[in-house]
Amino acid sequence: MKIDLRRDSTVPLYLQIRNHLQERIERGLLLPDTKLPPTRALADELSVSRVTVVNAYAELEAEGLVQAHVGRGTFVIDPRRRHLRVRETPYDWQTTLLRPTGVWASGMLADMLQLAQQPDLISFGMGAPATELLPVREFREAINRVLRRDGPEALQYDEAAGYEPLRRAITHLLLQNGIQARAGDVLITSGSQQGLDLAARVFTKPGDLVISESPTYLGALDVFQSNDVTVRGVPVDAEGMQVEVLQDLISRRRPKLIYTIPAFHNPTGVTLSSGRRHQLLDLAQRHDLLILEDGVCSELRYEGRPVPSLGAMDGGEHVVYVNSFSKFLLPGIRIGYLVAPRRLRERLVTMKQSADLFTSSLMQRALAEYLEFGHLGAHLETIRCVYQERRDAMLAGLARHLPRGSHWTIPQGGLCLWLTLPASISAARLYLSAIDHGVAFAVGSVFYPQDPGRSSLRLNFAAHSPAQIDEGLRRLGKAVREQLRGVSVASNAEARAKIPQDTRAR
Ligand SMILES: Cc1ncc(COP(=O)(O)O)c(C=O)c1O
């Protein structure tokens, strides 16, 4: 079946496939009861992942254009029956109400990770810290102390900028990273995700250009896309963003923001070198550009000398700094913060207020109490030690189990690394057979603003024990070798045709 896919389009591939098939069905070019090609066959023909075709078929089915029959395949529905089905639907929300968002990256990854729900499967796909190391007891005690001390005050409406004692505690953490700020400079956000969104809403307008690393954090891609901002990626190497490529881009395209994750970058794990940090700041100063620095993994250094953050080097003129307590403490409390040059702060606070009024006052107070009690130092020491051991286990396992021609980054901190397989391997195609072998990962192509690499993937090394890491990599190595030999493992397409949305994957 010939379908011309535009890989540089902002319309996701699965929607392009759906649109094409829908048009053919509606124009009568695909007759009732015609069987659509099997998902695997069409995916191979179009050089896309099978999940992409499965999603396209699921969309068509939701619109009443086709029907999937377990074990038989997917068939075009007779228009008379379709009419009945459409009339059963009282209101067509999809086309009349929903504003197109352009957001698809994290949804795609979430859909893929939903396929990995088998017992005993080892998933390296999430961007989360290890669940068993979350400090539940200490945080519960902090909540109880706050409720005893503050009573209903802890559950009342609160200030948009955040709970003052927490903002003060954060200034001490910032100082350890070389950033001098007053409590009034800190805006509490609901995770750093909200910090990114507020920055996009305040500093950009539709049609603007933002520069990011390529690949980059897919939640940031979603934020920019939902604000109708174009993202242009700058390649990354072992020293982080290739800043020399930026100069040319800045002169030609005049971007609004440069979004960067300089420490233990998600998804690659690399750190921006000190030399490139100076070059980047120099560019921002010369062209009067704003840098949006994302420091979410910066506390998680396991080796090497610390490099000062861009915010610390800049002194508060050209850098908006976002961070959170998600990666090194508790993602579920949804507390992040943003530090911005003074002239810009008021607009950010107003935008925060319009977004969600304020971040949970109970969680802010409990976190302030936890920090005041002095728990953080010991917790950081424990997790750095455990994560370093797990990173080492992953590096050893990769060397042991992956075939020649594979290479990977060696992060000095953070939660994940970036594996590049021999060029003949498509990571998207590998994904389903890897699941059949009991291992999952994050397919690398979802992290690119454009021109996705096809043979790379992100592996989280923090969430599993060294023994599980080794076993997971043994399974992954087996799946890769099979694909190199052209062996495909059969899997059940029909059982996977309906993929529920889940936004937990980050
Ligand atoms: C680089 C990066 N920035 C921001 C976030 C958002 O995290 P949170 O909102 O939990 O702080 C994530 C989450 O994975 C991330 O990896």
PDB file of all heavy atoms in Angstrom, residues 204 208-212 224 229-233 255-259:
ATOM      1  N   THR A 204       7.776  33.136  24.956  1.00  0.00           N
ATOM      2  CA  THR A 204       7.620  32.871  23.516  1.00  0.00           C
ATOM      3  C   THR A 204       6.195  33.182  23.075  1.00  0.00           C
ATOM      4  O   THR A 204       5.284  33.240  23.890  1.00  0.00           O
ATOM      5  CB  THR A 204       7.896  31.379  23.177  1.00  0.00           C
ATOM      6  OG1 THR A 204       6.890  30.569  23.777  1.00  0.00           O
ATOM      7  CG2 THR A 204       9.261  30.935  23.645  1.00  0.00           C
ATOM      8  N   ASP A 208       7.474  31.356  17.221  1.00  0.00           N
ATOM      9  CA  ASP A 208       8.863  31.613  17.624  1.00  0.00           C
ATOM     10  C   ASP A 208       9.716  30.350  17.502  1.00  0.00           C
ATOM     11  O   ASP A 208       9.195  29.235  17.418  1.00  0.00           O
ATOM     12  CB  ASP A 208       8.908  32.082  19.089  1.00  0.00           C
ATOM     13  CG  ASP A 208       8.606  33.571  19.215  1.00  0.00           C
ATOM     14  OD1 ASP A 208       8.636  34.267  18.184  1.00  0.00           O
ATOM     15  OD2 ASP A 208       8.337  34.023  20.340  1.00  0.00           O
ATOM     16  N   LEU A 209      11.028  30.592  17.551  1.00  0.00           N
ATOM     17  CA  LEU A 209      11.962  29.472  17.464  1.00  0.00           C
ATOM     18  C   LEU A 209      12.687  29.296  18.797  1.00  0.00           C
ATOM     19  O   LEU A 209      13.141  30.267  19.407  1.00  0.00           O
ATOM     20  CB  LEU A 209      12.997  29.771  16.374  1.00  0.00           C
ATOM     21  CG  LEU A 209      14.063  28.693  16.200  1.00  0.00           C
ATOM     22  CD1 LEU A 209      13.498  27.484  15.470  1.00  0.00           C
ATOM     23  CD2 LEU A 209      15.266  29.237  15.444  1.00  0.00           C
ATOM     24  N   VAL A 210      12.754  28.042  19.247  1.00  0.00           N
ATOM     25  CA  VAL A 210      13.540  27.695  20.439  1.00  0.00           C
ATOM     26  C   VAL A 210      14.591  26.685  20.013  1.00  0.00           C
ATOM     27  O   VAL A 210      14.318  25.808  19.194  1.00  0.00           O
ATOM     28  CB  VAL A 210      12.624  27.083  21.533  1.00  0.00           C
ATOM     29  CG1 VAL A 210      13.440  26.459  22.646  1.00  0.00           C
ATOM     30  CG2 VAL A 210      11.697  28.138  22.104  1.00  0.00           C
ATOM     31  N   ILE A 211      15.799  26.832  20.580  1.00  0.00           N
ATOM     32  CA  ILE A 211      16.856  25.858  20.264  1.00  0.00           C
ATOM     33  C   ILE A 211      17.003  24.916  21.448  1.00  0.00           C
ATOM     34  O   ILE A 211      16.919  25.334  22.602  1.00  0.00           O
ATOM     35  CB  ILE A 211      18.169  26.598  19.978  1.00  0.00           C
ATOM     36  CG1 ILE A 211      18.013  27.343  18.651  1.00  0.00           C
ATOM     37  CG2 ILE A 211      19.345  25.646  19.933  1.00  0.00           C
ATOM     38  CD1 ILE A 211      19.197  28.149  18.256  1.00  0.00           C
ATOM     39  N   SER A 212      17.204  23.641  21.133  1.00  0.00           N
ATOM     40  CA  SER A 212      17.440  22.673  22.209  1.00  0.00           C
ATOM     41  C   SER A 212      18.553  21.739  21.766  1.00  0.00           C
ATOM     42  O   SER A 212      18.966  21.767  20.608  1.00  0.00           O
ATOM     43  CB  SER A 212      16.181  21.838  22.460  1.00  0.00           C
ATOM     44  OG  SER A 212      16.017  20.892  21.417  1.00  0.00           O
ATOM     45  N   PHE A 224       6.919  22.888  24.225  1.00  0.00           N
ATOM     46  CA  PHE A 224       7.104  23.863  23.150  1.00  0.00           C
ATOM     47  C   PHE A 224       6.068  23.651  22.053  1.00  0.00           C
ATOM     48  O   PHE A 224       5.500  24.608  21.527  1.00  0.00           O
ATOM     49  CB  PHE A 224       8.530  23.791  22.597  1.00  0.00           C
ATOM     50  CG  PHE A 224       9.548  24.227  23.618  1.00  0.00           C
ATOM     51  CD1 PHE A 224      10.624  23.427  23.953  1.00  0.00           C
ATOM     52  CD2 PHE A 224       9.411  25.448  24.270  1.00  0.00           C
ATOM     53  CE1 PHE A 224      11.547  23.824  24.916  1.00  0.00           C
ATOM     54  CE2 PHE A 224      10.327  25.858  25.231  1.00  0.00           C
ATOM     55  CZ  PHE A 224      11.392  25.040  25.553  1.00  0.00           C
ATOM     56  N   VAL A 229       5.442  26.576  19.352  1.00  0.00           N
ATOM     57  CA  VAL A 229       6.793  27.089  19.137  1.00  0.00           C
ATOM     58  C   VAL A 229       7.571  26.037  18.349  1.00  0.00           C
ATOM     59  O   VAL A 229       7.428  24.842  18.599  1.00  0.00           O
ATOM     60  CB  VAL A 229       7.463  27.334  20.512  1.00  0.00           C
ATOM     61  CG1 VAL A 229       8.936  27.598  20.359  1.00  0.00           C
ATOM     62  CG2 VAL A 229       6.778  28.490  21.223  1.00  0.00           C
ATOM     63  N   THR A 230       8.383  26.475  17.403  1.00  0.00           N
ATOM     64  CA  THR A 230       9.187  25.529  16.636  1.00  0.00           C
ATOM     65  C   THR A 230      10.489  25.254  17.397  1.00  0.00           C
ATOM     66  O   THR A 230      11.113  26.180  17.911  1.00  0.00           O
ATOM     67  CB  THR A 230       9.559  26.149  15.270  1.00  0.00           C
ATOM     68  OG1 THR A 230       8.346  26.535  14.642  1.00  0.00           O
ATOM     69  CG2 THR A 230      10.325  25.192  14.390  1.00  0.00           C
ATOM     70  N   VAL A 231      10.870  23.989  17.448  1.00  0.00           N
ATOM     71  CA  VAL A 231      12.122  23.640  18.129  1.00  0.00           C
ATOM     72  C   VAL A 231      13.135  23.194  17.092  1.00  0.00           C
ATOM     73  O   VAL A 231      12.842  22.380  16.226  1.00  0.00           O
ATOM     74  CB  VAL A 231      11.912  22.501  19.153  1.00  0.00           C
ATOM     75  CG1 VAL A 231      13.213  22.216  19.890  1.00  0.00           C
ATOM     76  CG2 VAL A 231      10.819  22.858  20.132  1.00  0.00           C
ATOM     77  N   ARG A 232      14.320  23.743  17.179  1.00  0.00           N
ATOM     78  CA  ARG A 232      15.395  23.351  16.269  1.00  0.00           C
ATOM     79  C   ARG A 232      16.481  22.708  17.135  1.00  0.00           C
ATOM     80  O   ARG A 232      16.890  23.282  18.150  1.00  0.00           O
ATOM     81  CB  ARG A 232      15.889  24.635  15.608  1.00  0.00           C
ATOM     82  CG  ARG A 232      16.864  24.482  14.510  1.00  0.00           C
ATOM     83  CD  ARG A 232      16.209  24.460  13.131  1.00  0.00           C
ATOM     84  NE  ARG A 232      16.908  23.438  12.390  1.00  0.00           N
ATOM     85  CZ  ARG A 232      16.406  22.701  11.446  1.00  0.00           C
ATOM     86  NH1 ARG A 232      15.165  22.842  11.088  1.00  0.00           N
ATOM     87  NH2 ARG A 232      17.140  21.806  10.821  1.00  0.00           N
ATOM     88  N   GLY A 233      16.931  21.525  16.761  1.00  0.00           N
ATOM     89  CA  GLY A 233      17.886  20.809  17.597  1.00  0.00           C
ATOM     90  C   GLY A 233      19.326  21.024  17.176  1.00  0.00           C
ATOM     91  O   GLY A 233      19.622  21.153  15.996  1.00  0.00           O
ATOM     92  N   PRO A 255      16.680  32.879  17.454  1.00  0.00           N
ATOM     93  CA  PRO A 255      15.789  32.155  18.377  1.00  0.00           C
ATOM     94  C   PRO A 255      15.384  33.002  19.575  1.00  0.00           C
ATOM     95  O   PRO A 255      16.068  33.970  19.912  1.00  0.00           O
ATOM     96  CB  PRO A 255      16.649  30.978  18.835  1.00  0.00           C
ATOM     97  CG  PRO A 255      18.049  31.451  18.671  1.00  0.00           C
ATOM     98  CD  PRO A 255      18.060  32.403  17.514  1.00  0.00           C
ATOM     99  N   LYS A 256      14.316  32.576  20.246  1.00  0.00           N
ATOM    100  CA  LYS A 256      13.838  33.279  21.439  1.00  0.00           C
ATOM    101  C   LYS A 256      14.507  32.749  22.702  1.00  0.00           C
ATOM    102  O   LYS A 256      14.787  33.480  23.631  1.00  0.00           O
ATOM    103  CB  LYS A 256      12.326  33.083  21.573  1.00  0.00           C
ATOM    104  CG  LYS A 256      11.483  34.211  21.041  1.00  0.00           C
ATOM    105  CD  LYS A 256      11.718  35.501  21.799  1.00  0.00           C
ATOM    106  CE  LYS A 256      10.968  36.690  21.264  1.00  0.00           C
ATOM    107  NZ  LYS A 256       9.538  36.497  21.154  1.00  0.00           N
ATOM    108  N   LEU A 257      14.716  31.424  22.719  1.00  0.00           N
ATOM    109  CA  LEU A 257      15.247  30.773  23.916  1.00  0.00           C
ATOM    110  C   LEU A 257      16.212  29.681  23.504  1.00  0.00           C
ATOM    111  O   LEU A 257      16.034  29.074  22.440  1.00  0.00           O
ATOM    112  CB  LEU A 257      14.127  30.038  24.642  1.00  0.00           C
ATOM    113  CG  LEU A 257      13.214  30.702  25.648  1.00  0.00           C
ATOM    114  CD1 LEU A 257      12.246  29.649  26.188  1.00  0.00           C
ATOM    115  CD2 LEU A 257      14.013  31.273  26.812  1.00  0.00           C
ATOM    116  N   ILE A 258      17.183  29.430  24.371  1.00  0.00           N
ATOM    117  CA  ILE A 258      18.005  28.227  24.184  1.00  0.00           C
ATOM    118  C   ILE A 258      17.734  27.334  25.377  1.00  0.00           C
ATOM    119  O   ILE A 258      18.049  27.700  26.517  1.00  0.00           O
ATOM    120  CB  ILE A 258      19.502  28.576  24.110  1.00  0.00           C
ATOM    121  CG1 ILE A 258      19.739  29.536  22.952  1.00  0.00           C
ATOM    122  CG2 ILE A 258      20.346  27.310  23.966  1.00  0.00           C
ATOM    123  CD1 ILE A 258      21.139  30.080  22.897  1.00  0.00           C
ATOM    124  N   TYR A 259      17.088  26.199  25.116  1.00  0.00           N
ATOM    125  CA  TYR A 259      16.765  25.270  26.203  1.00  0.00           C
ATOM    126  C   TYR A 259      17.883  24.231  26.306  1.00  0.00           C
ATOM    127  O   TYR A 259      18.221  23.586  25.316  1.00  0.00           O
ATOM    128  CB  TYR A 259      15.433  24.575  25.915  1.00  0.00           C
ATOM    129  CG  TYR A 259      15.164  23.402  26.819  1.00  0.00           C
ATOM    130  CD1 TYR A 259      15.003  23.581  28.194  1.00  0.00           C
ATOM    131  CD2 TYR A 259      15.114  22.102  26.330  1.00  0.00           C
ATOM    132  CE1 TYR A 259      14.781  22.506  29.043  1.00  0.00           C
ATOM    133  CE2 TYR A 259      14.875  21.019  27.164  1.00  0.00           C
ATOM    134  CZ  TYR A 259      14.710  21.228  28.522  1.00  0.00           C
ATOM    135  OH  TYR A 259      14.499  20.159  29.362  1.00  0.00           O
TER     136      TYR A 259
END
